[in-house]
Amino acid sequence: MKISPIIEVCAATVEAAIAANRSEADRIELCQDIENGGTTPSHGAIEFCVNNLSLKTCVLVRPRAGNFVYSDAEFEVIKNDVLHCKRLGIHAVVVGFLHNDFTIDINKTAEIVSLAKPMEVTFHRAFDDCADWKIALEQIIECGCTRILTSGQKPTAVEGAENIKLMVKQAGDRIIILPASGITMENYQQLVDFTGVKEVHGTRLRGGD
């Protein structure tokens, strides 16, 4: 029996979000500057999606491109953006926090999870930079995140399918593994069947793309 996964579309513009709303998508992850891995969208774009779209809206909260080691000032900006999303009634925020040695910054992650409630928190593909994903997965679960965005520590989720399958097995029912990168309408079902994931994420997961 084929699993029908939840489909999350990465939308880098309001127009992309509108297109996803007309398609088979269940959620969007709203961001901007996708060419550099994505950054926090404007407050106006966030508010538009909440007020005008019927699907669930998740928001990437990332003040700049580059690494995921943030200064105290940058972390204050992140917290303010999370609170703004919370006031608007966003479904989830997407964040990622690492130390210089590519381990999970547990303190910052746990603080954002607490601040964001009742919103869900997805841990960003910063997870794929971790030296030991098995340890990182347990730490992210302990912090209270809802899901982990990952390409299985490979350039694309298809290439990382073996690792994603192992991640799903280790995670069990404790956290959702959300594969991303290179996922399309043509290949997502095969990935779902092989790995056992229940959700998928991509920019090309809209009918007609």
Side-chain angles (χ1 to χ4, degrees), residues 24-198:
E24 299 174 357
D26 299 289
R27 289 195 310 257
I28 59 165
E29 182 204 326
L30 186 65
C31 64
Q32 64 182 14
D33 195 21
I34 198 169
E35 296 81 7
N36 291 306
T39 54
T40 309
S42 73
H43 285 191
I46 297 169
E47 190 163 356
F48 177 90
C49 290
V50 171
N51 292 335
N52 293 279
L53 305 185
S54 59
L55 45 61
K56 294 177 179 178
T57 300
C58 306
V59 173
L60 174 62
V61 180
R62 186 185 182 203
R64 56 163 172 77
N67 65 28
F68 294 88
V69 181
Y70 297 110
S71 68
D72 291 342
E74 288 173 326
F75 191 55
E76 287 301 314
V77 171
I78 289 169
K79 288 192 287 185
N80 286 336
D81 283 336
V82 168
L83 287 173
H84 177 70
C85 290
K86 186 175 180 176
R87 285 190 292 267
L88 289 176
I90 288 296
H91 176 69
V93 289
V94 183
V95 296
F97 303 104
L98 300 178
H99 294 298
N100 285 316
D101 62 355
F102 299 102
T103 58
I104 301 297
D105 189 327
I106 295 171
N107 291 336
K108 284 187 172 65
T109 303
E111 184 173 347
I112 290 300
V113 169
S114 178
L115 185 69
K117 288 179 181 178
M119 292 188 297
E120 295 180 352
V121 175
T122 298
F123 197 91
H124 186 275
R125 276 184 67 203
F127 170 76
D128 287 330
D129 291 338
C130 292
D132 190 326
W133 67 258
K134 293 179 182 179
I135 292 174
L137 190 151
E138 294 299 327
Q139 291 173 329
I140 293 170
I141 290 172
E142 187 176 341
C143 288
C145 292
T146 304
R147 61 181 60 81
I148 298 173
L149 195 65
T150 179
S151 58
Q153 298 209 312
K154 301 292 183 180
T156 69
V158 172
E159 293 171 274
E162 289 283 357
N163 280 342
I164 292 170
K165 186 174 183 178
L166 293 173
M167 291 170 184
V168 170
K169 183 177 180 181
Q170 180 173 325
D173 295 329
R174 298 178 298 159
I175 198 167
I176 297 163
I177 301 299
L178 177 60
S181 183
I183 301 177
T184 67
M185 292 292 289
E186 291 72 34
N187 67 20
Y188 82 86
Q189 190 63 59
Q190 183 178 0
L191 181 71
V192 168
D193 294 341
F194 178 76
T195 61
V197 296
K198 297 178 181 179

